[in-house]
Structures are given as structure tokens and as C-alpha cells.
Amino acid sequence: MPTLDRRERARAERGALIVRTARELAEADGWDAVTTRRLAEAVEYSQPVLYSHFTNMQAIVTAVALEGIAELTVELRSAREADGLRGLAEAYLGYAEAHPAVYAAIFTRRTDLVFGSAESPEILKATFGELRAAVEPYADGDAETRTEVFWSALHGQATLNQDRRLRPAQRSDRIAQLVRLVTA
């Protein structure tokens, strides 16, 4: 059995290396630059080894997204507990700015993730739960919908900020306006 455990550990370590390297390449050069050939060269394994861990590039992006959403959830919880709705909004936008490729993997690139259903992975439900916990005190009945509106407004700001479509100097004012709209 020890040989099997060692093999399983080695396989898990290879999978983690592939995900970590894909993430690093995407953050450095964008997702379009992350190909299986380039990724295989970077991890020093053949492309068939990559495919023995992940069925395709979409599966690798999904793995990066799941890793990122777990990080985002921790940041949102900490910010919400410390600074409420405004803190959560700041943390969300801060994560999107600090990790644009991971944010894209989570919310804009094609993945195998299903949001908003009973089949959604628990980590997605936990992330939405953090958003909802911040919004719920201000909801007048339908906390789910108000949370979705808040989240979509944050996502809009995150993507527009990333594409430099919004005035950077107004970032704080936009957050304040959004918080006022939700809490009104």
C-alpha cells in the first residue's frame, strides 16, 4: 500500500503543479497565452500527462476557478465580518484587481461550473452565502434577488475597471453609491 499512497501523492502534486502553473501563466500573459503545449513545457511534463489529469483546457480553467473562488470566499467573509457590506464590496473588487486572470476563470471564461443551482459546488454556494449575508439585513423580503443585483453590479464594476472603462479616481464613490442603493 505505501507505493500506492506515494503514487497518489505524486499524482496530486502533479495536478496541483499544473493548476498553479496555468494560473501563473494566465496572470502573467492572459488566458489566450495558456496552451496545453506551453503549459506542458512549463511543468516539464508531456501533453499526455496533462490530459491524464485534466480532460481539456476548460477543465484546467475550472480547477483554477475553484481554487480562486475558495480564496475569494475567505476574503469576502473576513471583510464582511470586519467592515460589513462596504468592506465586502471593497474586498470583491480588490480580489478582481489583484487576480484578473483568476477572476476571469471564475466568472467570465468557459468552465464546467454551474452557478445558482442545487448542483452547484458547495464553495460556490458559500461564496454567494457571503454576499447574501452582507445584503440580507437590507433586503425587504427577497434577499436572493437583492443579492444577485448587488453581485451583478460588483461584477460589472470589476470587469469595467479591469478593462479601464471607468474612471479610477471614482472607484470609492461608485462603491459608496452601490452600498447606498442596497441599504436604502
Side-chain angles (χ1 to χ4, degrees), residues 3-95:
T3 303
L4 185 58
D5 291 343
R6 185 171 28 102
R7 283 187 192 150
E8 288 173 358
R9 278 194 314 274
R11 180 171 173 73
E13 288 170 5
R14 262 193 320 273
L17 173 64
I18 292 165
V19 171
R20 184 174 57 251
T21 304
R23 180 179 178 160
E24 290 168 359
L25 290 172
E27 289 293 2
D29 301 322
W31 280 107
D32 290 340
V34 183
T35 63
T36 54
R37 176 172 294 180
R38 185 169 179 212
L39 188 53
E41 289 172 4
V43 297
E44 299 178 341
Y45 287 104
S46 67
Q47 286 179 323
V49 170
L50 264 62
Y51 289 122
S52 74
H53 287 273
F54 300 96
T55 56
N56 54 31
M57 186 55 72
Q58 183 175 325
I60 295 170
V61 174
T62 299
V64 170
L66 285 169
E67 187 177 273
I69 201 113
E71 295 168 358
L72 177 61
T73 302
V74 169
E75 289 192 25
L76 294 180
R77 180 175 300 122
S78 176
R80 178 184 58 79
E81 289 173 351
D83 299 313
L85 188 63
R86 170 128 192 162
L88 181 136
E90 291 277 0
Y92 185 98
L93 294 175
Y95 188 88

